């Protein structure tokens, strides 16, 4: 049943335009046409109850937007975006029917050169209540935290398969 809902959700995403022209529509230049453009959809996820899709879509420049689509109305709603310089939205997965956990990747110039960092954030599907999940660093830290952590249990204590 969940697989059938996912297939229907995927079809709903591709049956019409992804965005209104003045919101976060992908931008393709002549060079992109000749040499290949980025994928329009970089990652997609179905909510646990099967009622909502989230996907990361390419936007102008190197940016990306987290878009939510309710299968009830099929209207795409961008709720979060990254510029791609230096922050990049890499993935978003549902932790519940109403909340997502997203990964952010960035490369920052430091005294050592260029360092890559990851961080986890969570956000409600309406775009509110953004929280940083990764541990915050402070002056007493023994070193730099390059990795922002990982979710170890997506089931929330409910029985079921561990992915």
């Amino acid at each position: 049943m969940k697989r059938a809902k996912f297939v229907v959700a995927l079809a709903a995403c591709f049956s019409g335009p992804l965005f209104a022209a003045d919101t976060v529509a992908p931008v393709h230049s002549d060079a992109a046409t000749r040499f290949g453009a980025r994928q329009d959809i970089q990652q997609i996820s179905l909510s646990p109850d099967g009622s909502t899709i989230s996907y990361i879509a390419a936007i102008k420049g190197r940016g990306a937007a987290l878009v939510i689509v309710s299968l009830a109305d099929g209207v795409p709603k961008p709720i979060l975006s990254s510029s791609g310089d230096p922050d990049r939205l890499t993935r978003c997965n549902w932790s519940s029917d109403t909340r997502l956990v997203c990964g952010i990747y960035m490369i920052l110039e430091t005294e050592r050169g260029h360092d890559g960092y990851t961080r986890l954030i969570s956000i409600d599907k309406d775009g509110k209540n953004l929280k940083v999940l990764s541990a915050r660093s402070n002056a007493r830290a023994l070193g730099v935290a390059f990795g922002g952590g990982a979710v170890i249990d997506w089931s929330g204590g409910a029985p079921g398969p561990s992915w």
Side-chain angles (χ1 to χ4, degrees), residues 1-10 12-13 45-54 67-75 94 96-99 125:
M1 180 67 183
K2 197 172 194 180
R3 182 174 172 85
K5 284 184 179 181
F6 184 75
V7 171
V8 170
L10 222 61
C13 277
S45 181
L46 181 65
S47 65
D49 66 359
S51 68
T52 311
I53 295 174
S54 69
V67 180
I68 304 296
V69 180
S70 169
L71 296 181
D73 61 14
V75 177
W94 295 89
S96 71
D97 293 334
T98 60
R99 195 141 177 88
K125 72 178 183 180

Side-chain angles (χ1 to χ4, degrees), residues 72 97 100 117 124 131:
D97 293 334
L100 293 117
Y117 299 87
D124 290 342
K131 297 205 185 280

Side-chain angles (χ1 to χ4, degrees), residues 63-126:
L66 173 61
V67 180
I68 304 296
V69 180
S70 169
L71 296 181
D73 61 14
V75 177
K77 178 184 171 192
I79 63 165
L80 182 68
S81 66
S82 65
S83 68
D85 186 23
D87 56 321
R88 297 178 188 161
L89 194 57
T90 58
R91 67 189 186 283
C92 289
N93 296 306
W94 295 89
S95 61
S96 71
D97 293 334
T98 60
R99 195 141 177 88
L100 293 117
V101 174
C102 299
I104 297 174
Y105 173 74
M106 62 197 83
I107 298 177
L108 300 174
E109 192 171 338
T110 66
E111 61 274 356
R112 291 184 300 275
H114 290 85
D115 290 335
Y117 299 87
T118 61
R119 296 296 180 259
L120 288 177
I121 61 167
S122 64
I123 190 168
D124 290 342
K125 72 178 183 180
D126 61 3

Side-chain angles (χ1 to χ4, degrees), residues 3-48:
R3 182 174 172 85
K5 284 184 179 181
F6 184 75
V7 171
V8 170
L10 222 61
C13 277
F14 297 112
S15 64
L18 293 177
F19 301 105
D22 59 346
T23 57
V24 288
V27 175
H28 301 287
S29 69
D30 188 22
T33 302
R34 288 184 287 161
F35 300 107
R38 289 193 302 162
Q39 296 175 344
D40 288 341
I41 295 180
Q42 300 169 356
Q43 190 259 339
I44 190 166
S45 181
L46 181 65
S47 65

